[in-house]
């Protein structure tokens, strides 16, 4: 019987315990032996509950117990998760985490430490919840150079965009609804400002290029400026607004950014609705592939964590190499990234043509303004030109 510990008994941590219970026999068969949770680290006591005997408050109890071979980190945030995970790896324990903030910031160092200690650091659940995108990139797509990874990587914002589109609601009303349904946090900024998606695309790009991608270097625009009028124009164009995390390998460097996009039905991510996530990839020999599923939620995310535990159980005596060097890669400067832009403006058509040349006008019947789509140009060029107009909103075009 393998002994394990869970650090953080919140939604995901309790989901891990539940999944190990629901599929106990199957998991034991696949792992080669049963997995038993010996400790649960949390600041709470959970008195009177079935887990109370397992609860500990000091991470050193786990680090110093030679029986513990696998540690699950589901606390979230960089600290104290980093201190605890580092201590576990240093003590020779295998670790799996669902914590994207930890992986994006400290992933390269923790992988190096795991290698040094001949254990493993896994993080499937940190991106795309239950979608096995990390294992796929590390194991299945090893023949390819990944030329593009574009994802809907945040379920909350995808739910909100879908609801705004279906019901014609304003952003604030949809946010309230998402909070009432438990999708958006009381402080929703990590989701709606795009920070969550930013860390996830930083992790996927790091795996694609084998080097450190700093999330702080990624231009990130959330969905807070998307309005019901924008959606009216989107519908007029037959498009859907989606928050995309984009990572493309260009001859000048990796172009990585997070922003709302207008997608036409031909785009593979167009039909990804509600809280679902999807990751579209293009490999230089594979071509296109897409991975779709539950990007968040207790059991789907716990499923990914427990699958990591089974993977760890199968590799108790060896380190599985993961290429993610700590040396930072320089991303393509945001101003040089090329896009086509949809713009709403109160400026007149002649003025628009004078600034942007030939554009495609979009008439959605909104008084006192017009919409238009530019040709493809660099972000810096667009910014300079748009400054000459009275711009009400801008959304990038996902495909032509
Ligand atoms: N808040 C995240 C989402 C949870 O909505 O996708 C998973 O990281």
């Amino acid at each position: 019987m393998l002994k394990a510990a869970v650090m953080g008994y919140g939604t995901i941590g309790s989901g891990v315990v539940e999944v190990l219970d629901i599929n106990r026999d199957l998991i034991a068969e696949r792992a080669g032996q049963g997995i038993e949770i010996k400790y649960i680290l949390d600041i709470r006591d959970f008195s009177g509950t079935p887990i109370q005997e397992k609860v500990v408050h000091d991470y050193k109890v786990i680090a110093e117990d030679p029986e513990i071979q696998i540690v699950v980190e589901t606390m979230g945030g960089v600290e104290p998760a980093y201190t605890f995970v580092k201590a576990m790896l240093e003590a020779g324990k295998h670790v799996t985490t669902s914590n994207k903030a930890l992986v994006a910031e400290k992933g390269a160092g923790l992988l190096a430490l795991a290698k040094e200690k001949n254990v493993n650091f896994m993080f499937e659940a940190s991106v795309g919840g239950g979608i096995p995108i990390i294992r796929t990139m590390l194991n299945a797509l090893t023949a390819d150079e990944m030329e593009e990874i574009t994802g809907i990587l945040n379920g909350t914002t995808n739910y909100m965009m879908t609801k705004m589109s279906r019901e014609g609601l304003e952003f604030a009303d949809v946010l309230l609804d998402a909070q009432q349904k438990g999708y958006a946090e009381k402080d929703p900024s990590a989701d709606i400002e795009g920070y969550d998606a930013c860390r996830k695309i930083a992790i996927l790009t790091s795996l694609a290029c084998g080097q450190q991608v700093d999330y702080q270097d990624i231009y990130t625009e959330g969905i807070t400026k998307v309005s019901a009028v924008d959606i009216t124009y989107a519908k007029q164009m037959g498009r859907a607004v989606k928050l995309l995390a984009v990572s493309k390998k260009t001859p000048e460097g990796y172009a990585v950014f997070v922003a709302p996009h207008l997608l036409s039905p031909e785009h593979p991510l167009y039909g990804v609705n509600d809280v679902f996530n999807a990751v579209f990839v293009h490999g230089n020999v594979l071509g296109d592939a897409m991975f779709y599923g539950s990007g968040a939620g207790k059991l789907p995310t716990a499923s990914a964590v427990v699958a990591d535990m089974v993977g760890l159980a199968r590799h108790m005596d060896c380190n599985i190499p993961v290429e993610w060097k700590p040396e930072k890669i320089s991303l393509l400067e945001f101003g040089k990234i090329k896009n086509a832009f949809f713009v709403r403006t109160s400026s007149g058509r002649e003025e628009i043509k004078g600034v942007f040349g030939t554009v495609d006008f979009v008439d959605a019947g909104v008084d006192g303004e017009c919409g238009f789509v530019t040709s493809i140009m660099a972000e810096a060029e667009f910014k300079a030109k748009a400054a000459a107009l009275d711009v009400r909103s801008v959304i990038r075009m996902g495909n032509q």
Side-chain angles (χ1 to χ4, degrees):
M1 182 71 77
L2 266 175
K3 305 275 178 168
V6 173
M7 302 196 293
Y9 197 70
T11 306
I12 313 303
S14 60
V16 167
V17 173
E18 204 175 319
V19 169
L20 284 169
D21 193 42
I22 295 169
N23 288 333
R24 179 169 305 282
D25 295 342
L26 264 179
I27 290 163
E29 208 173 297
R30 289 171 184 165
Q33 56 188 310
I35 301 178
E36 183 195 316
I37 300 296
K38 183 171 179 182
Y39 298 119
I40 291 169
L41 179 77
D42 205 283
I43 47 172
R44 295 161 291 181
D45 289 325
F46 296 102
S47 307
T49 74
I51 63 150
Q52 68 175 358
E53 299 301 323
K54 298 177 193 287
V55 173
V56 291
H57 301 303
D58 183 357
Y59 73 98
K60 289 184 185 147
V61 173
I62 301 169
E64 288 166 10
D65 184 338
E67 257 199 340
I68 297 292
Q69 289 176 281
I70 295 176
V71 179
V72 172
E73 186 276 305
T74 46
M75 299 162 55
V78 177
E79 280 296 355
Y82 175 61
T83 301
F84 295 180
V85 166
K86 195 161 164 266
M88 299 306 157
L89 293 172
E90 273 165 353
K93 301 179 192 310
H94 298 267
V95 174
T96 169
T97 180
S98 60
N99 183 343
K100 79 221 94 176
L102 175 72
V103 178
E105 197 162 317
K106 305 285 188 185
L110 291 171
L111 281 165
L113 178 58
K115 189 175 179 186
E116 188 192 315
K117 296 289 174 183
N118 200 36
V119 291
N120 291 294
F121 174 62
M122 291 180 136
F123 44 92
E124 182 61 66
S126 65
V127 180
I131 306 173
I133 184 62
I134 290 177
R135 194 166 287 114
T136 301
M137 284 186 67
L138 293 176
N139 296 329
L141 300 176
T142 46
D144 272 76
E145 170 137 53
M146 299 318 298
E147 295 179 337
E148 178 177 351
I149 305 167
T150 295
I152 292 177
L153 297 177
N154 184 269
T156 304
T157 48
N158 203 41
Y159 170 81
M160 290 174 65
M161 290 290 92
T162 306
K163 195 158 174 84
M164 278 179 82
S165 178
R166 284 186 185 149
E167 297 177 26
L169 298 172
E170 277 299 351
F171 177 83
D173 299 325
V174 172
L175 175 59
L176 197 63
D177 171 76
Q179 282 170 321
Q180 280 164 353
K181 288 204 165 69
Y183 297 144
E185 308 273 339
K186 206 166 154 199
D187 173 2
S189 48
D191 292 322
I192 65 175
E193 299 289 359
Y195 307 149
D196 175 82
C198 168
R199 279 153 182 79
K200 290 169 176 169
I201 199 68
I203 294 169
L204 294 183
T205 309
S206 296
L207 295 177
C209 70
Q211 277 183 249
Q212 175 65 19
V213 172
D214 279 354
Y215 69 86
Q216 297 92 334
D217 294 344
I218 298 174
Y219 173 85
T220 301
E221 190 181 306
I223 60 163
T224 54
K225 290 189 206 139
V226 178
S227 68
V229 181
D230 293 329
I231 302 286
T232 304
Y233 278 95
K235 285 192 171 164
Q236 179 65 28
M237 289 185 273
R239 287 177 178 253
V241 183
K242 300 284 178 196
L243 181 68
L244 297 188
V246 180
S247 175
K248 288 183 184 165
K249 189 170 193 282
T250 78
E252 296 85 39
Y254 279 87
V256 189
F257 67 106
V258 175
H261 284 70
L262 282 155
L263 301 185
S264 78
E266 289 73 40
H267 195 289
L269 295 169
Y270 171 86
V272 178
N273 287 317
D274 298 310
V275 286
F276 284 99
N277 280 198
V279 188
F280 166 82
V281 300
H282 182 89
N284 67 335
V285 287
L286 167 76
D288 295 346
M290 197 166 94
F291 306 90
Y292 170 90
S294 299
K298 181 177 181 172
L299 293 183
T301 310
S303 160
V305 175
V306 175
D308 271 357
M309 295 175 85
V310 172
L312 293 171
R314 289 172 174 172
H315 297 90
M316 275 289 132
D317 300 321
C318 66
N319 171 261
I320 309 160
V322 175
E323 206 198 345
W324 182 347
K325 297 190 195 88
E327 290 78 33
K328 179 177 153 166
I329 198 164
S330 292
L331 301 179
L332 177 63
E333 203 181 302
F334 181 65
K336 292 185 177 162
I337 295 177
K338 289 186 173 159
N339 280 303
F341 301 83
F342 164 73
V343 183
R344 279 176 48 218
T345 174
S346 58
S347 303
R349 288 189 176 214
E350 289 313 309
E351 208 181 339
I352 294 164
K353 284 194 264 183
V355 174
F356 282 98
T358 307
V359 296
D360 291 328
F361 286 103
V362 184
D363 186 355
V366 180
D367 285 342
E369 64 172 59
C370 75
F372 67 94
V373 178
T374 71
S375 57
I376 293 174
M377 64 185 69
E379 289 278 346
E381 183 188 349
F382 171 76
K383 195 175 168 191
K385 287 184 168 165
L389 301 177
D390 174 30
V391 171
R392 291 188 174 168
S393 80
V394 176
I395 305 179
R396 288 162 187 84
M397 300 293 280
N399 57 337
Q400 295 311 296

